[in-house]
Amino acid sequence: MGYASKSPWLIHYDGSSCNGCDIEVLDSLMPLYDLERFGIINTGNPKHADIFLVTGSVNHQNINVVKHIYEQMMEPKVVVACGICACTGGVFRDCYNIIGGVDKAIPVDVYAPGCAVRPETIIDAVLKAVEILDEKAKRLAAGEDPATISKPMPETPSAPVDESKVVTGAAPAAPAKNEQPAAATKQTNE
């Protein structure tokens, strides 16, 4: 059985969020950024998906939905947490119904922080997910048990985010507060 990641399919799910990251996911699929140029196809069926891209945090109402989508995906599969809410619970983490980031429900392979996450970061994260997908496919082809490829979740809350799984996009540095753009000139009264 062979596997090629030349055209992996992606399924997107929005948990509890403000929808800012969802807009950026859509932006990454538009012609300006064009995630599909890498052969990545957006699908609505978890049984066809290789990459599970989650925006928003996990709460008591959607945790079973997140787990169910993940369980329907075939091996090999990867999970990308997009946006700070999906990574840690974000600005909603102290709300009464929020459990935390996606890693409280399912194993996460790539973290793409940001509020809202930039399209460049989403693309970098998905491309990193494709690399991980290839590695998991090799392990699966070598006869490794699918249950060991995607680690089961620990019973205790997860440890801090593993820095090697964090992807940062090429975001321009924001000017400091009250800083004038470089092209602006200071006017003097003479």
Side-chain angles (χ1 to χ4, degrees):
M1 177 175 104
Y3 178 84
S5 66
K6 292 187 176 153
S7 61
W9 287 26
L10 174 143
I11 187 166
H12 170 225
Y13 177 77
D14 173 33
S16 302
S17 73
C18 69
N19 299 112
C21 291
D22 301 311
I23 293 168
E24 298 302 322
V25 168
L26 291 174
D27 198 25
S28 70
L29 295 168
M30 294 290 122
L32 179 63
Y33 295 102
D34 195 16
L35 181 60
E36 290 183 357
R37 70 186 162 175
F38 299 106
I40 294 144
I41 306 297
N42 193 19
T43 182
N45 189 339
K47 294 177 182 174
H48 296 161
D50 306 297
I51 301 169
F52 187 15
L53 189 140
V54 184
T55 56
S57 54
V58 174
N59 64 31
H60 292 287
Q61 291 180 335
N62 70 13
I63 189 167
N64 290 328
V65 174
V66 171
K67 288 179 180 179
H68 188 63
I69 292 170
Y70 180 77
E71 290 165 1
Q72 289 183 67
M73 294 174 67
M74 305 298 288
E75 290 289 350
K77 56 190 169 188
V78 293
V79 177
V80 178
C82 271
I84 198 65
C85 292
C87 292
T88 65
V91 297
F92 302 107
R93 72 181 165 272
D94 293 329
C95 293
Y96 70 95
N97 67 334
I98 300 297
I99 296 170
V102 178
D103 59 2
K104 300 293 185 190
I106 57 176
V108 173
D109 297 289
V110 182
Y111 294 90
C115 185
V117 62
R118 296 181 55 87
E120 298 93 341
T121 306
I122 295 168
I123 292 171
D124 287 347
V126 170
L127 293 178
K128 178 68 174 173
V130 171
E131 290 176 18
I132 295 169
L133 188 64
D134 285 341
E135 181 60 36
K136 287 184 175 186
K138 288 177 189 173
R139 291 169 56 193
L140 193 60
E144 190 171 336
D145 181 19
T148 62
I149 293 173
S150 294
K151 300 173 284 196
M153 292 303 297
E155 294 299 321
T156 58
S158 63
V161 173
D162 179 1
E163 292 297 321
S164 67
K165 294 182 176 182
V166 176
V167 173
T168 57
K177 192 173 183 180
N178 298 330
E179 183 179 299
Q180 294 181 351
T185 57
K186 191 173 183 180
Q187 296 179 348
T188 58
N189 294 331
E190 291 185 27

